[in-house]
Structures are given as structure tokens and as C-alpha cells.
Amino acid sequence: MTQNNIMVVNPDYLVSGSIVASATTCVRRSVLANRYRGYDAGNKYMLFGSILHEIFQKVLVSDIKDPVEIRQLAESIAHTSSYAHDMYSIDMTEKSLMDGINEYLPPISQFLVKHVGPQAKDKIKILEVKDIEETIWSPRFGMKGKIDVTAECSINGAGSRQIPLELKTGRPSYSAEHKGQVTIYSLMLSEKEQGRATLEGVQPGFWLISKMGQCSTYHTLGQLLKV
């Protein structure tokens, strides 16, 4: 709603969900980061994150759980030409790259055994991967985003629903920014699936902290208002 009491139904500009989530700590930071994007040469942790996202998505789609196969896949991905420029820009050798990547692989393997497939023993079960890097947008809410993994999941044995799964490769964090991002993706995904989105209809989203193999569920009902 504008100052002139005009309601915008189909906005010309959609704001990224991650930018909206980052505004929970500082509104100015999210605006400045979106409008003034400078060149960033990156660092090894950003490179690790890019490679681990690709590894995680491919093992989910291909249903690879064996640690040896996961490591072989990691090596083949890390040695592709698409990451050569990033390695060169931060002066990193292939050995240093793989040493860093290998630290994350055992927890990912444990996560796959624990959560993926109908026979998984945890209360959160990933039954099917629906999409990878799904681009989603909602003119109603004026937001857009790209979900790491859109999965058909069952929680506590209840009926399956599509919910977002985000991979976090940095240090463990349960900040409002991370919760907000998952909440926004859940909101837009619920709107897409049901044709509308209400607090009662929004499904929980969850994210995986790759270095710990820990999966955290964020129940959006009620908590959405706090974010």
C-alpha cells in the first residue's frame, strides 16, 4: 500500500527473499548491498560453498549415499574448468581445495543416510527431489528467490508436502536472517502449490549445516510474524 492509498498488485520490481531476510538485522545493509554491488574476488569459503552446493544437489538427485562415490563425485566436480578461474584468483592448489572439501563430505553422507528415502529413520524424510535451484517468484508479496532444493518430504509420518531445503556451508548459525530466508521460501512455495498462502497453510522449511551434518527444521507458523 502506497502513501496515496494505492495497492500494488503486480509490482514491476521483485525483491530477493534473501535481501528481505537480511533486513531483519539492518535495513540499510540490504538496500546498499542490492544497489551497489562491487567486484568481489571471493575467498576459499565462497569457493567451498559453490562446490558443496553442486555436490549436495547431485548426490540428492542421483541418490548417492556411499562415501567413496561421494568423494569421487566431489573430485570430478572440483576439477572442472568452471572452478579453475576461482582457484587461480585466490591462489589455491587442487590439493588444498580437496583437503578443504573433504572435511564436509562425511557429514553430508551421514545426512543422506539419515534423511533420504522412505526407509530413513529420522522424523524428517526426503521422499523425492522435485527441483534444483528452483526460481520462484510471488508478485503478491513482491519477492523472488532461488531455492537450493525443492523436496517432497514427510515429517513425523504425516502426509508429504513440498518444502524448501537450504544448504549452509558456513559456521553454524540460527540467526533471524537464515530463519527468515527459509520462511520466505516456504511462504512462496506454499502459494505456488496451493494457489494462495496463509499462515495455517505454510509448511515448515529446513536447512542443513553441511560441516555438522545437522538438519534444522524451522516451523513457520507463528514464527513468521516474529521475523
Side-chain angles (χ1 to χ4, degrees):
M1 187 75 72
T2 69
Q3 294 179 350
N4 296 322
N5 296 322
I6 298 175
M7 181 176 291
V8 179
V9 179
N10 289 299
D12 294 327
Y13 183 76
L14 300 179
V15 182
S16 168
S18 58
I19 291 177
V20 174
S22 67
T24 57
T25 54
C26 177
V27 176
R28 292 186 179 89
R29 187 186 73 173
S30 59
V31 174
L32 293 173
N34 186 51
R35 293 190 177 183
Y36 303 100
R37 298 179 181 178
Y39 174 75
D40 188 355
N43 55 56
K44 66 177 182 179
Y45 299 108
M46 292 174 63
L47 180 57
F48 289 165
S50 299
I51 295 174
L52 287 166
H53 271 77
E54 187 172 347
I55 293 171
F56 181 66
Q57 291 165 347
K58 286 190 175 180
V59 296
L60 270 180
V61 171
S62 304
D63 194 22
I64 300 174
K65 299 177 183 177
D66 181 67
V68 176
E69 291 186 48
I70 294 175
R71 181 165 184 170
Q72 291 174 345
L73 176 64
E75 290 179 350
S76 66
I77 291 174
H79 292 157
T80 56
S81 58
S82 59
Y83 295 112
H85 180 271
D86 296 324
M87 289 174 57
Y88 178 79
S89 66
I90 60 176
D91 194 25
M92 174 175 278
T93 64
E94 291 186 0
K95 183 180 183 306
S96 298
L97 177 64
M98 285 310 304
D99 287 343
I101 292 296
N102 286 335
E103 294 182 15
Y104 294 84
L105 300 184
I108 290 179
S109 177
Q110 294 166 15
F111 168 84
L112 295 170
V113 172
K114 187 177 180 180
H115 293 283
V116 179
Q119 305 303 320
K121 297 180 179 180
D122 196 85
K123 63 179 182 180
I124 303 173
K125 298 180 181 180
I126 298 176
L127 305 177
E128 183 183 357
V129 176
K130 290 295 186 179
D131 205 347
I132 296 295
E133 295 291 342
E134 178 182 5
T135 299
I136 190 168
W137 59 89
S138 171
R140 177 187 176 188
F141 295 108
M143 293 185 293
K144 62 182 179 179
K146 184 170 286 189
I147 304 173
D148 286 345
V149 178
T150 304
E152 191 83 21
C153 296
S154 171
I155 301 178
N156 292 323
S160 62
R161 295 292 296 273
Q162 289 188 32
I163 61 177
L165 168 59
E166 288 293 299
L167 177 66
K168 302 300 179 184
T169 57
R171 60 184 179 182
S173 171
Y174 302 93
S175 65
E177 184 174 338
H178 284 172
K179 293 176 181 179
Q181 183 182 9
V182 174
T183 298
I184 289 168
Y185 289 164
S186 296
L187 183 68
M188 291 193 290
L189 201 58
S190 293
E191 182 188 31
K192 173 189 172 185
E193 187 178 10
Q194 302 171 21
R196 63 189 181 92
T198 62
L199 288 181
E200 292 75 12
V202 175
Q203 297 300 306
F206 62 100
W207 67 92
L208 166 66
I209 300 174
S210 59
K211 206 164 188 178
M212 299 173 61
Q214 181 177 349
C215 181
S216 298
T217 308
Y218 186 58
H219 294 276
T220 58
L221 181 58
Q223 294 177 338
L224 175 63
L225 295 176
K226 296 179 182 180
V227 175

